[in-house]
Amino acid sequence: ARIAAAEAELDAAEATVRRLAPTALTTARGPDLPDAAAVAAALPPGTLLLTYHTFDEDLVGWAVTRDGLRAERRRRWAGEVTATARRFHGGCAHGDSDGPAAARALATWLLDPFAAELDSHPRVLVVPPPSLSLLPFHVLPWDGDTLGDRHVVSYLPAASLLTRARRWDTPWARARTLLVGDPDLAPGTGLAPLPGTGVEAASIARLLPGARLLTGPDASRDRVLAAAPECEVLHLATHGQVDDLSPSRSRLALTGTDTLDMADLIDCARAPRLLVLSACDSGRGTATAGGDVLGLTRAAMITGAHGAVVSLWPVGDLTGCLVMTRMYERLTDGTAADVPTALHHAQQEVRTMTGAERRDQYRELAAAADAPPSAPGTRDSEALAAPAAVDRAPRHWAPFIHVGV
């Protein structure tokens, strides 16, 4: 009787969620769940899909192309794979010494089995298991450099999302866009000002003449909620405050003590073409027993966004500004036809710069935006660890990933 009552309560809760957010729930029992053939047929030309699952003693990977599917099963403890991925993530985020060794091991386990497919496909879509949701596959060593140097890499929470992809013909420069940056933060929040986010938003606004720009005191929750529903592109550049214990409380800082939480994001974003969360750790989340990852990325996908750009670790305000601005430059000047390609070019361009060159580039953008030449910090509630000694370290150029097709 207690089980029956619990099932009835669950059914009622699901019905309410479907009424309030129709795309929030999917079910394996539904008739529309695509099979492997449908996923393969939905792959864009030249694209390889890599998906993985960790069992107790085995690591299984599948390579899906438009021509078929191949699986590889290797004996490897799930705990070892997860721990190695965490060490590598820490090495990327903070320059830890374990990073290179962990990277080589992960590349051997995850990429080497599919070398033939990688060699013949310039675009890669990765569907990681929850335990590897923070693993930056694009930074793994490959063919003498990184996978992201040789390939355009995107991520998906589920392969089935491939079959729901939507296409837009509107040029990026004419897309209805909302840009939010450099909110006036209340002193009691303990959050430092982020001048780089203001420079970022203003620089992008010059590339998108029809964009609406909300910065300083205008970057309030009410104004964002009012402006966002009609927009194809939502770009939110601010502090990210991620709650690992209660992911539904993760939020983005706005003017005063205002914040934009997961519920707000789901409410105001109406299936946008692109949702950018240009903040620290916006791609982090909490894995559930059911194999889902709860967090801001999940919220972005619930909105029905065609694509999202989120971060896997704390973002330097200066380099975040440079990567984001260059991504939109590539979208609007015709260099890149889609967001993942534009992000790929932007990251590689910033990667090749020295620290001095990045500072010079930022000063030029700040001057064009009439912004004071203040020193940018980090888009996090805590300070970054000691700066990485190497200008080309992934921490500087690789925190952002594209989620989508």
Side-chain angles (χ1 to χ4, degrees):
R2 289 196 301 272
I3 291 173
E7 289 179 341
E9 187 175 353
L10 177 61
D11 288 343
E14 289 182 344
T16 301
V17 171
R18 287 194 178 92
R19 176 173 55 82
L20 296 174
T23 60
L25 296 177
T26 58
T27 171
R29 295 171 295 181
D32 298 325
L33 190 70
D35 57 15
V39 169
L43 284 170
T47 301
L48 166 67
L49 184 143
L50 295 176
T51 182
Y52 301 89
H53 193 84
T54 53
F55 296 92
D56 288 343
E57 299 179 357
D58 293 293
L59 171 66
V60 181
W62 293 267
V64 183
T65 68
R66 300 183 87 177
D67 299 321
L69 178 151
R70 187 169 69 86
E72 285 282 344
R73 187 184 191 106
R74 294 195 171 189
R75 179 59 58 91
R76 186 62 55 185
W77 284 96
E80 180 186 7
V81 177
T82 301
T84 305
R86 287 175 179 170
R87 288 199 302 274
F88 178 52
H89 177 272
C92 291
H94 306 295
D96 297 341
S97 59
D98 284 342
R104 289 191 294 271
L106 291 164
T108 299
W109 302 337
L110 300 170
L111 302 182
D112 284 359
F114 305 112
E117 288 86 353
L118 285 167
D119 287 344
S120 57
H121 292 82
R123 178 90 188 275
V124 179
L125 275 170
V126 180
V127 182
S131 60
L132 302 182
S133 62
L134 287 181
L135 177 60
F137 281 79
H138 60 294
V139 187
L140 290 176
W142 186 252
D143 196 20
D145 203 299
T146 64
L147 182 66
D149 177 69
R150 307 298 187 192
H151 299 76
V152 175
V153 182
S154 293
Y155 299 76
L156 276 176
S160 59
L161 294 176
L162 266 167
T163 61
R164 304 177 193 173
R166 176 184 168 192
R167 306 298 177 204
W168 276 267
D169 297 323
T170 307
W172 286 97
R174 295 212 304 267
R176 298 187 304 277
T177 302
L178 175 64
L179 300 166
V180 179
D182 195 20
D184 279 351
L185 302 165
T189 62
L191 300 173
L194 294 176
T197 63
V199 173
E200 175 182 318
S203 300
I204 297 169
R206 290 198 303 275
L207 300 169
L208 307 175
R212 181 172 181 183
L213 180 62
L214 297 178
T215 58
D218 292 331
S220 67
R221 177 176 178 272
D222 287 344
R223 286 178 179 252
V224 171
L225 292 180
E230 302 302 321
C231 293
E232 299 172 62
V233 178
L234 299 178
H235 186 103
L236 308 172
T238 181
H239 281 288
Q241 298 173 283
V242 177
D243 191 325
D244 288 326
L245 296 180
S246 182
S248 61
R249 297 182 66 243
S250 297
R251 57 207 182 276
L252 302 171
L254 296 174
T255 288
T257 58
D258 285 0
T259 60
L260 196 75
D261 61 20
M262 285 179 58
D264 291 330
L265 201 59
I266 293 171
D267 180 54
C268 72
R270 309 287 171 82
R273 183 179 188 179
L274 176 63
L275 175 58
V276 179
L277 305 180
S278 185
C280 282
D281 295 304
S282 55
R284 263 170 51 194
T286 299
T288 69
D292 202 354
V293 179
L294 301 180
L296 292 171
T297 304
R298 160 82 176 193
M301 292 297 100
I302 289 175
T303 69
H306 176 69
V309 174
V310 298
S311 64
L312 296 182
W313 55 77
V315 178
D317 201 22
L318 186 153
T319 51
C321 171
L322 294 182
V323 170
M324 288 293 99
T325 301
R326 285 175 174 265
M327 182 184 80
Y328 283 93
E329 286 175 352
R330 300 299 158 257
L331 285 173
T332 55
D333 68 8
T335 304
D338 52 46
V339 175
T341 304
L343 178 60
H344 165 83
H345 287 311
Q347 288 178 326
Q348 295 305 315
E349 289 166 13
V350 172
R351 181 188 183 195
T352 61
M353 297 179 189
T354 64
E357 289 171 335
R358 290 173 188 150
R359 290 188 291 273
D360 289 342
Q361 292 275 324
Y362 176 78
R363 279 192 289 267
E364 291 179 11
L365 290 175
D370 293 326
S374 53
T378 176
R379 301 174 189 184
D380 199 10
S381 56
E382 300 178 1
L384 285 173
V390 181
D391 286 335
R392 286 169 60 91
R395 166 182 155 182
H396 296 301
W397 59 269
F400 292 111
I401 61 170
H402 172 259
V403 181
V405 181

